[in-house]
Amino acid sequence: MTDGVTIGQAAAFAGITVKAVRHYHKHGLIDEPRRDNSGYRRYGSADLLRLVQIRTLAAAGVPLAEVGAILDADPDRFAAALVDVERRLNDRIDDLIARRETLRRLAAGDRALLPDSVLAKLDRVAADLDFTPDDVTMAREGLVLIRALVPEGFDDYVSRVESGLDDPRYVSLVKRLWGAAEWEPDDPRVDELATAMADYYLSHPALLPIPAGLRAGADGAIRYSLLAHHGEEQKPAWIRLRALFEARMRSAGIDIV
Amino acid sequence: MTDGVTIGQAAAFAGITVKAVRHYHKHGLIDEPRRDNSGYRRYGSADLLRLVQIRTLAAAGVPLAEVGAILDADPDRFAAALVDVERRLNDRIDDLIARRETLRRLAAGDRALLPDSVLAKLDRVAADLDFTPDDVTMAREGLVLIRALVPEGFDDYVSRVESGLDDPRYVSLVKRLWGAAEWEPDDPRVDELATAMADYYLSHPALLPIPAGLRAGADGAIRYSLLAHHGEEQKPAWIRLRALFEARMRSAGIDIV
DNA sequence: CGTGCACCCTGACCTAAGGTCAAGGTCAAT
DNA sequence: ATTGACCTTGACCTTAGGTCAGGGTGCACG
């Protein structure tokens, strides 16, 4: 009359693996049961119920180190612990739902990190200026960087650019700037464009594209540099364009970096 | 002109730890950046964007081993992978919500594992028979075991017991059975009760409490034994009661175990 | 009666996604 | 010149088990 079930049957009953049961033994969550005369563990009904309780708590995300204490607590503390477990489970669920939102935005590009209003503006501007999808991506990445590196200056920057876009001369410059992505670095138009941009910014100092906040603080130069170099790997003409533009500005007394 | 940010700044930007960034390097999720002349890593803007993408996928539960392939895939496969990731995330959310339900039932006892209709019946019976809370718990555990060990016979068992409860003689037997929990094992009433139970079951064979399905299959005897012994540690009189009852049944030609 | 197969035993090592610690180099400021 | 915050590598720790090795047990089939 071998009494009780073997570890495999107990595990199947509780919906877990044999190894998990032995793991629970090793960590003291459930006492070792009687052994039969060949050394096999033999589980009784109380063990099976205990295994189901352990599994239920573990599946709810309770660390095994706490499960034992919870199950052995008196009814009041047991109930309190369950309330706490449910709270933590709710937090995890809410967290995953938030991550799902972020993920959805990642699926539509890097829109995740920009406010919807800015994205709508970007889409309008992209249509006006005949941006390619790659251009839109790069512009978006630039905005993400600005927002991440200078959060307090981001809204200001967006509204400055937006008001600038009312001026046909500014629009024309931006168009030529993006067109320059396709130029060879030694194209003579690079020089012309750098001059035109410097002239424009010098006559509209409020429009200086990197807001003042960027250069405040110790690491301002680093931030500016990071931003200014963004995308240059893909657009060689921009490297020279930026150098020329900075030189023009510096010679006009505006020390950019 | 030290160009780029250090690992600590990059990690803060992406909302992760320095160690996580190094971990991503080791696993090839992001290339090692340039080092400055003191050996520090220097991250550029593209690296920062990559880190944010990695973090977003990892936070959605994508194993790091897959994150690299997803981010380096062409746009079509990238989009498909994100759809897949979102599906898995939804599964995890649904799973956690289900676990929360199970947990709530655990908080109210072991109700988790029984259908509501059965619980309602149990509550009514418990009120009729003046069960103590401990009695209710033990009865519930017995039902959980029956359901787990003989799932296909559970409904049948419940309806047999329910119809039996229409008979005052059966109700009286059940009351005495639970009352016996308090008796000493050598109480003469144990003998009386065993005889009365055997007589009753012999005249109502349809009521045999362990449904036929229990003894079907190779491990039927083990299952029965597990059930029959449940609770005996706490109720010594039941051990003798069960032995006497089984002997009476056997001598009437019904071989229980 | 032996052989295969499924199950059990222990113990040692492996996993993912980092965390922690040690021992030392670097940077900016005081 | 020293403090404190940051960086470097490398080795070990963590959770909740999974996998493998080497060996024992129980039962059915030929």
Side-chain angles (χ1 to χ4, degrees), chain B residues 180-204:
Chain B
E182 312 301 320
W183 300 349
E184 295 300 312
D186 53 358
D187 191 309
R189 289 174 296 175
V190 171
D191 213 333
E192 281 169 40
L193 177 56
T195 305
M197 282 172 62
D199 286 350
Y200 187 81
Y201 279 115
L202 288 172
S203 59
H204 299 76

Side-chain angles (χ1 to χ4, degrees), chain A residues 84-150:
Chain A
D84 188 55
V85 167
E86 185 176 341
R87 198 180 43 65
R88 286 190 285 178
L89 190 53
N90 279 329
D91 288 351
R92 267 179 64 201
I93 291 172
D94 292 347
D95 187 51
L96 286 187
I97 289 171
R99 294 185 191 296
R100 182 174 60 187
E101 284 310 305
T102 307
L103 189 67
R104 281 189 185 146
R105 296 179 145 222
L106 181 66
D110 274 325
R111 313 179 82 91
L113 301 153
L114 294 175
D116 287 339
S117 63
V118 171
L119 289 169
K121 281 174 200 158
L122 175 61
D123 286 346
R124 278 203 309 280
V125 171
D128 286 354
L129 301 185
D130 296 323
F131 274 20
T132 67
D134 277 0
D135 290 344
V136 175
T137 296
M138 184 175 299
R140 191 161 50 214
E141 288 178 354
L143 289 169
V144 169
L145 282 173
I146 291 173
R147 185 161 142 96
L149 295 172
V150 206

